[in-house]
Amino acid sequence: MRTPTELEVLANQEYPSAEQLVAEFEILAHPDPADADTYARIMTGSGFGVDFTDYMAHATWDSEKGWHRKVIEPFGPLSLSPGAAVLHYGQEVFEGLKAYRHADGSVWTFRPAYNAARLNVSSHRLAIPELPITDFLASLAGLLKADKRWVPDTPGASLYLRPFIFASESFLGVRVAKQYEYLVIASPAGPYFKNGFSPIKVWVEREYHRAGPGGMGNVKTGGNYAASLYPKARASQHGFDEVLFLDASTGKCLDELGGMNVFVVMKDGSVKTPALNGNILPGGTRSSIITLLEESGISVSEETLALDWLIEGVRSGEVAEMFACGTAAVVTSIGALASTDFEVEVPVGEVTKHIHDQLTGIQFGLLEDKFNWLYKLCD
């Protein structure tokens, strides 16, 4: 068994319950919550990240008070100076997790302390003040107390939660800001990919990279995603769903997709995934999948994976299947890989579907939570 990472150690510690923390964020009155027609429209037809709930969590940091003014307030526009540091120097980090409604009506989330700890790792890299893990959990508890009706009860649907921090101080000058805002917004979400669990087509990008050695590839900040958008737009124009980026040092080894980690299933049943090399985001879904596979007796290897090795393995049959994973998409099968000099179809196998069903089964309370990953937000 592998040694747990620092993030996994932090995620596996015991933290106060949502019931104990919920009062940390004051819930403000909402003058105009969504009416019945608007609510019904959003809950029955909105796409991923398109519509938002009534409320949002909000806290402010400055050097005198630290994190303060912790409130659950009506969702709405922010008052932000055009000189705000985030708009000029990109001092911003974010996270993504989901709230799930269980059969008894209660609402849960999945490994939120992992997200809280990773937010702090990202903040440290961007010289942003860390947010206590208990404040992170309290913001989720308060938001879901106010917004419980927005958690879907349809199979496979959830409430996507987006915590983020940005530099709000108004100044022009390359230095660390002195004021920050922390918010959590929420959006009812169905499947991330429009075609459901159907295999996706992936373009292997040879010209552009999302991150390089010593950069910020292993933290969740907007710049990494901005770097992936142009290659992804080009790939989309040619019928591809996602982009697989290669390492910036050699251009020969797998890093990750634009927003997801990648796994390779071998013919002998073992599984490989690119090692966390400083360029790859340590995904919570990635971590959970490794644990589930190892618990099932499947050998998982984290190593440097060469593109040439992968293509040869697909062609020879040594590679049995591939899948990508992330909070939004959960687990999705990769059915084709292509680039400027090759195109291969990847077999679709049972491991991907099994892992997807295991993971979502735990998240929705349908399977036993052996690892105490679930965190109850409200009844």
Side-chain angles (χ1 to χ4, degrees):
M1 299 290 283
R2 62 196 274 272
T3 302
T5 67
E6 183 179 350
L7 285 178
E8 290 167 337
V9 170
L10 286 170
N12 292 337
Q13 292 179 10
E14 284 195 26
Y15 294 96
S17 68
E19 186 177 5
Q20 293 171 298
L21 295 173
V22 67
E24 293 294 318
F25 277 67
E26 178 188 2
I27 300 177
L28 305 182
H30 198 308
D32 188 28
D35 60 29
D37 289 342
T38 301
Y39 174 80
R41 174 186 62 79
I42 292 174
M43 296 301 284
T44 57
S46 63
F48 179 83
V50 175
D51 293 294
F52 298 93
T53 62
D54 290 320
Y55 282 93
M56 60 186 184
H58 191 180
T60 297
W61 184 94
D62 63 40
S63 55
E64 292 184 1
K65 299 179 181 178
W67 288 108
H68 63 284
R69 194 189 169 272
K70 303 171 188 178
V71 296
I72 307 299
E73 63 187 14
F75 179 93
L78 301 173
S79 177
L80 192 65
S81 166
V86 66
L87 302 176
H88 303 274
Y89 308 111
Q91 217 183 347
E92 176 270 348
V93 294
F94 69 97
E95 274 298 324
L97 64 167
K98 293 179 178 179
Y100 310 89
R101 188 180 295 277
H102 287 190
D104 63 358
S106 60
V107 176
W108 302 69
T109 191
F110 185 76
R111 303 187 77 182
Y114 188 101
N115 295 91
R118 190 173 64 178
L119 184 71
N120 283 338
V121 169
S122 299
S123 292
H124 179 78
R125 179 62 180 84
L126 277 91
I128 294 172
E130 294 185 6
L131 179 79
I133 288 178
T134 50
D135 278 353
F136 184 98
L137 299 175
S139 69
L140 303 184
L143 182 59
L144 267 297
K145 181 178 181 180
D147 268 341
K148 181 182 177 182
R149 69 168 178 149
W150 291 98
V151 183
D153 57 8
T154 53
S158 58
L159 182 66
Y160 183 79
L161 306 173
R162 169 54 59 86
F164 59 102
I165 303 174
F166 66 89
S168 55
E169 182 191 359
S170 178
F171 74 98
L172 298 180
V174 183
R175 64 163 171 79
V176 174
K178 298 178 182 179
Q179 181 174 311
Y180 299 86
E181 309 300 322
Y182 166 72
L183 292 102
V184 187
I185 57 177
S187 176
Y192 183 74
F193 290 107
K194 295 179 181 179
N195 296 324
F197 199 71
S198 300
I200 61 172
K201 293 178 63 178
V202 174
W203 177 259
V204 180
E205 180 58 51
R206 294 192 182 275
E207 183 177 357
Y208 296 97
H209 300 283
R210 59 174 289 279
M216 300 188 296
N218 63 338
V219 302
K220 207 165 176 67
T221 183
N224 291 336
Y225 295 81
S228 73
L229 295 181
Y230 178 64
K232 186 171 179 178
R234 290 200 312 174
S236 179
Q237 291 173 357
H238 293 89
F240 291 89
D241 303 291
E242 265 291 350
V243 172
L244 174 61
F245 289 94
L246 304 177
D247 72 297
S249 297
T250 69
K252 296 180 179 180
C253 301
L254 313 187
D255 265 2
E256 64 177 58
L257 274 67
M260 292 181 283
N261 297 123
V262 63
F263 284 80
V264 180
V265 182
M266 307 304 294
K267 184 175 68 174
D268 65 4
S270 64
V271 176
K272 300 179 184 294
T273 190
L276 299 178
N277 57 12
N279 297 337
I280 296 173
L281 187 73
T285 306
R286 175 188 184 273
S287 165
S288 302
I289 288 171
I290 292 173
T291 299
L292 288 173
L293 289 169
E294 290 187 334
E295 193 266 344
S296 300
I298 295 173
S299 172
V300 182
S301 174
E302 299 176 75
E303 58 185 271
T304 300
L305 302 179
L307 176 64
D308 288 347
W309 166 85
L310 175 65
I311 300 309
E312 176 57 31
V314 172
R315 287 172 171 161
S316 70
E318 284 300 309
V319 170
E321 55 188 293
M322 286 184 67
F323 62 88
C325 68
T327 299
V330 190
V331 176
T332 188
S333 179
I334 296 175
L337 291 170
S339 191
T340 54
D341 56 348
F342 74 89
E343 185 169 356
V344 293
E345 291 189 6
V346 183
V348 176
E350 293 299 317
V351 174
T352 302
K353 186 65 165 60
H354 175 68
I355 283 295
H356 174 274
D357 291 348
Q358 251 193 311
L359 200 55
T360 56
I362 294 170
Q363 290 168 340
F364 284 96
L366 304 175
L367 295 177
E368 180 186 359
D369 177 21
K370 297 179 181 179
F371 305 100
N372 295 315
W373 284 337
L374 293 174
Y375 184 85
K376 189 176 185 180
L377 292 173
C378 60
D379 289 315

